[in-house]
Amino acid sequence: MSKYEENLERIKKAIAFEPVDRIPVAPCANAYYAKACGLPLKTYITDFDAACTVNLKCHEDMDADATQNVIFSPFLLPAQWLSKIATPGNELGDDDMWQIVEQADFMKQEDYQIILDKGFEYFFEKFKKEKLDDNNAKLEPFFAANPAAYKRFHDAGIPCICDFLMITPFEFFCGGRGLENFFADDLFEEPDMMDEVFAKTMEYTMKTYQAQMDQLHPIGVWIGGWRTSPQMLSPALWDRFVWPYFKQYTDLCLKNNVIPIFHLDSCWDLAIERFLEMPAKKCIMALDSTTDIRRARKILGDHMCILGDVPAQLLAFGTYDDVYKYVTDVIDDIGPLGYIAASGCDIPSNAKPENAKAMADAAHDYIKNHPGCC
């Protein structure tokens, strides 16, 4: 069995709650890789060969078992949030962090009628061309570089477990309309219209994501949850405008033998029980240290693998020993089966390399330090 196959097998065993020879580590990071290797962010987002090189180096320094991305472009974000973005070397300094520029009412409420009349695809392509400065063209170099980057990771024995991101209608429009407008003027004032708009949007996304799966044959994909956190919404609104779309995307993934990775930023404590409705031992729940990971395991039991949730502040400001202890304690409490070690969301750009290494070391050392635990 090749190194790539061995690493992928560890991920699959973690999802299935089967014993592993070591607890797998699957980091998610972009700016951190550049900062750790001294590559300016302007170069990181334009020279994808250089970006892949530093990404690989950081994975190899950690002896990571998998990755959640091989290269990255910040121009992926405007299409996901219907918002503009400021990038290093353009609106920002050469080594400044990219940043979404959210503008209230950037997308107008009357744009919903365009979606209802002409479909989401028509609106989406027009919006990206006219309002997002021809964002598709800005992404062309990234997509052109992707195959070579995937091959380099594959040849290094590191599988990518997240090939793309599935965006729910809620996240699209919350970004484009702005939080206050989306909640007050859209969800509260026009809920029936929003049901129709969401349905039109899903016609497009389900078709598009199916085509991507047919083309890419991904191992896994993110199903993203940011402002869809149940802490942001009443139970009635969450049941209506969030959960059905998570379930549709999960069904699509499993139909195509793709791992659904629920990327749950912010606090999801109020909805952990709902994930018991998803098929057992088929999915990953990725937490960002805001959700109570121990409570999540208590509720989920061996129903779902958990990934995460080493806090950003610990990776940035803690010590090697602090991080090592944190990861060990988490494994004591929720593992060792059904667990994949990673940061909570991205490793922060100002993380200490020794702390990223501590996260991996603690996971990889656990089973040999606790013989018989599996």
Side-chain angles (χ1 to χ4, degrees), residues 22 25 27 32-33 57-65 347 353 356-357 359-361 364:
R22 70 179 191 179
V25 175
Y32 163 74
Y33 300 142
K57 181 183 185 307
C58 289
H59 281 80
E60 289 169 348
D61 286 348
M62 286 184 271
D63 191 21
D65 303 88
I347 296 174
K357 183 71 163 55
M359 177 180 71
D361 287 350
H364 289 155

Side-chain angles (χ1 to χ4, degrees), residues 43 60 84 96 114 156-157 161 194-195 203 205 242 256 269 305 314 351 362:
T43 305
E60 289 169 348
K84 289 192 174 184
D96 291 341
I114 298 174
I161 63 171
M194 295 309 297
D195 282 333
E203 289 177 11
T205 58
V242 176
N256 287 276
D269 286 341
C305 176
L314 188 63

Side-chain angles (χ1 to χ4, degrees), residues 313-332:
Q313 65 270 25
L314 188 63
L315 290 164
F317 304 116
T319 66
Y320 180 98
D321 290 342
D322 293 334
V323 176
Y324 194 101
K325 182 179 186 306
Y326 182 93
V327 174
T328 301
D329 289 347
V330 166
I331 300 170
D332 281 342

Side-chain angles (χ1 to χ4, degrees), residues 334-345:
I334 77 163
L337 302 181
Y339 177 68
I340 300 170
S343 57
C345 196

Side-chain angles (χ1 to χ4, degrees), residues 86-297:
T87 56
N90 295 307
E91 299 83 2
L92 304 172
D94 287 356
D95 204 30
D96 291 341
M97 186 70 188
W98 51 83
Q99 180 63 54
I100 281 285
V101 182
E102 186 172 336
Q103 305 170 58
D105 216 28
F106 186 54
M107 175 188 171
K108 305 297 183 183
Q109 193 176 54
E110 51 263 34
D111 288 336
Y112 289 132
Q113 193 59 49
I114 298 174
I115 295 171
L116 294 175
D117 291 342
K118 297 186 176 182
F120 181 78
E121 182 173 11
Y122 174 86
F123 158 79
F124 191 39
E125 295 304 324
K126 188 171 187 290
F127 192 90
K128 288 187 289 183
K129 181 80 172 178
E130 297 177 0
K131 299 293 287 287
L132 300 178
D133 305 320
D134 197 10
N135 197 68
N136 285 352
K138 295 178 180 180
L139 279 170
E140 286 175 1
F142 166 77
F143 287 121
N146 247 326
Y150 268 91
K151 185 177 187 305
R152 290 179 66 184
F153 266 80
H154 187 282
D155 291 348
I158 305 171
C160 181
I161 63 171
C162 178
D163 290 87
F164 61 88
L165 171 60
M166 303 176 91
I167 304 292
T168 62
F170 188 108
E171 301 288 0
F172 276 128
F173 301 126
C174 190
R177 292 281 289 138
L179 188 64
E180 182 177 353
N181 291 330
F182 181 66
F183 274 70
D185 296 340
D186 302 345
L187 295 185
F188 288 114
E189 295 295 327
E190 299 288 348
D192 292 340
M193 179 187 73
M194 295 309 297
D195 282 333
E196 295 180 43
V197 170
F198 278 29
K200 286 283 188 180
T201 305
M202 289 296 286
E203 289 177 11
Y204 167 81
T205 58
M206 292 289 280
K207 177 184 70 175
T208 300
Y209 296 147
Q210 179 63 67
Q212 287 181 262
M213 290 178 188
D214 290 342
Q215 178 186 0
L216 300 173
H217 306 289
I219 294 169
V221 299
W222 276 2
I223 300 176
W226 296 276
R227 290 181 177 172
T228 45
S229 160
Q231 195 175 44
M232 293 283 289
L233 292 156
S234 71
L237 285 176
W238 193 85
D239 281 340
R240 182 172 183 174
F241 291 115
V242 176
W243 190 238
Y245 306 100
F246 267 70
K247 294 193 78 170
Q248 286 184 59
Y249 285 164
T250 300
D251 290 344
L252 181 66
C253 287
L254 296 179
K255 183 183 77 171
N256 287 276
N257 198 31
V258 173
I259 302 164
I261 303 171
F262 303 116
H263 185 90
L264 306 181
D265 285 346
S266 69
C267 184
W268 284 71
D269 286 341
L270 297 174
I272 296 299
E273 292 90 346
R274 299 301 297 275
F275 287 89
L276 291 169
E277 298 173 23
M278 301 301 187
K281 300 179 181 179
K282 299 290 186 181
C283 312
I284 296 173
M285 176 179 286
L287 302 177
D288 76 347
S289 80
T290 309
T291 301
D292 186 336
I293 195 171
R294 290 166 174 81
R295 178 178 176 274
R297 171 59 74 220

